[in-house]
Amino acid sequence: MPDPIRLALVGLNDAERAVVAAAAATVPGLSLVHDIDHAQLLVADAEHTPSVKLVLAAEKLKRTLWVGTPPPMGSVAVVERPLQADAVREALTTLLPRPAAAPAPAAPPPLKRALLVDDSEVALRFLETRLQRWGLVMDRALSSNRAIELLASEEPYDFVFIDVELGPQSTLDGFALAQHLRRQHRREITPPVVVMVSAHATPSHRARGQLAGCDAYLAKPLDEVELQRLLLRHGLKPRAAGAPASVAGSVPG
């Protein structure tokens, strides 16, 4: 429970003190005290010169409810005579410190998007299951032609995973697709992370992937540790156990 706000009375006759005391009793968090120096709020007689001087000397003008007119210049609250309990209660409420507003909840970071390109449905599903716990929203393309269509869409991808061999239905193989992607996004501040995924992990293939503009080269079958290092390096964090999987979009190809 927070400490009560101490209220002292300066001047006023007995009848007015009773009205103020009754009004203060209905305001949560207020407590009447006799010590003016330690009071946080005051109710003072604006028509009683010694009371006005006392308040000004205590430097509590902005924390005083004045009774009667005219109040001292710079006052923030006043009630007229004869005193009414409702008016006093309303005026006292305006002098109470406002509770600090609760900070707005931080907006969750936007989900990262990934495009998976492979001519094998089985390989796509396998890769998708390995990536789900990383909170990625995924689209799948079974050909380079469909991948190019998706890469040209207005909503960009953060990651693109490309198999080297994309089958006869594709115009481009994985290396050529990676080069196309790099040309398409060369002026972007944060182009997508391009990851080559292939059963061919020879030094020559890795070199070709690097020349094509790939950021990483993963061998099939996927090494979980290597995949984890890659995703962590690019700012992803695995979801907590039991968290719902990210939405995956299956895009025919």
Side-chain angles (χ1 to χ4, degrees), residues 142-164:
L142 286 164
S143 69
S144 64
N145 306 32
R146 182 57 177 151
I148 290 172
E149 292 177 11
L150 292 171
L151 289 166
S153 64
E154 293 183 1
E155 195 166 3
Y157 290 98
D158 302 285
F159 293 85
V160 182
F161 293 82
I162 307 173
D163 186 21
V164 171

Side-chain angles (χ1 to χ4, degrees), residues 155-197:
E155 195 166 3
Y157 290 98
D158 302 285
F159 293 85
V160 182
F161 293 82
I162 307 173
D163 186 21
V164 171
E165 297 178 352
L166 296 178
Q169 72 274 31
S170 295
T171 304
L172 306 176
D173 66 7
F175 296 123
L177 179 59
Q179 289 175 329
H180 170 85
L181 196 156
R182 282 301 180 218
R183 286 194 299 270
Q184 184 181 24
H185 297 277
R186 65 181 180 274
R187 293 188 178 88
E188 293 182 7
I189 297 175
T190 54
V193 177
V194 180
V195 183
M196 193 67 72
V197 184

Side-chain angles (χ1 to χ4, degrees), residues 13 15-16 19 47 67-69 79-88:
N13 59 43
E16 290 175 336
V19 172
E47 299 170 9
V67 175
T69 55
V79 288
E80 297 183 356
R81 287 184 164 104
L83 285 186
Q84 301 293 327
D86 287 345
V88 173

Side-chain angles (χ1 to χ4, degrees), residues 44-220:
D45 190 340
E47 299 170 9
H48 184 238
T49 301
S51 297
V52 174
K53 290 182 177 180
L54 184 59
V55 171
L56 296 179
E59 298 182 346
K60 295 184 178 181
L61 178 63
K62 299 294 186 182
R63 290 174 286 165
T64 298
L65 169 61
W66 294 98
V67 175
T69 55
M73 185 175 296
S75 300
V76 296
V78 60
V79 288
E80 297 183 356
R81 287 184 164 104
L83 285 186
Q84 301 293 327
D86 287 345
V88 173
R89 179 175 61 251
E90 183 176 345
L92 285 174
T93 301
T94 64
L95 288 177
L96 293 177
R98 295 287 183 263
L111 293 174
K112 300 288 187 179
R113 301 182 71 240
L115 175 62
L116 317 184
V117 189
D118 199 305
D119 63 331
S120 167
E121 278 278 10
V122 174
L124 284 174
R125 285 197 298 270
F126 179 82
L127 179 57
E128 194 174 58
T129 59
R130 294 301 180 271
L131 295 173
Q132 278 181 344
R133 74 185 187 98
W134 294 87
L136 288 167
V137 175
M138 290 168 278
D139 288 335
R140 298 184 291 175
L142 286 164
S143 69
S144 64
N145 306 32
R146 182 57 177 151
I148 290 172
E149 292 177 11
L150 292 171
L151 289 166
S153 64
E154 293 183 1
E155 195 166 3
Y157 290 98
D158 302 285
F159 293 85
V160 182
F161 293 82
I162 307 173
D163 186 21
V164 171
E165 297 178 352
L166 296 178
Q169 72 274 31
S170 295
T171 304
L172 306 176
D173 66 7
F175 296 123
L177 179 59
Q179 289 175 329
H180 170 85
L181 196 156
R182 282 301 180 218
R183 286 194 299 270
Q184 184 181 24
H185 297 277
R186 65 181 180 274
R187 293 188 178 88
E188 293 182 7
I189 297 175
T190 54
V193 177
V194 180
V195 183
M196 193 67 72
V197 184
S198 174
H200 306 289
T202 63
S204 62
H205 273 78
R206 290 180 179 274
R208 288 183 65 190
Q210 187 174 9
L211 290 172
C214 296
D215 298 285
Y217 198 109
L218 298 179
K220 292 182 180 180

Side-chain angles (χ1 to χ4, degrees), residues 224-242:
E224 291 286 349
V225 175
E226 191 176 1
L227 176 62
Q228 178 175 301
R229 286 174 180 167
L230 168 68
L231 297 175
L232 289 173
R233 187 165 66 247
H234 289 283
L236 290 186
K237 294 182 180 179
R239 288 165 138 347

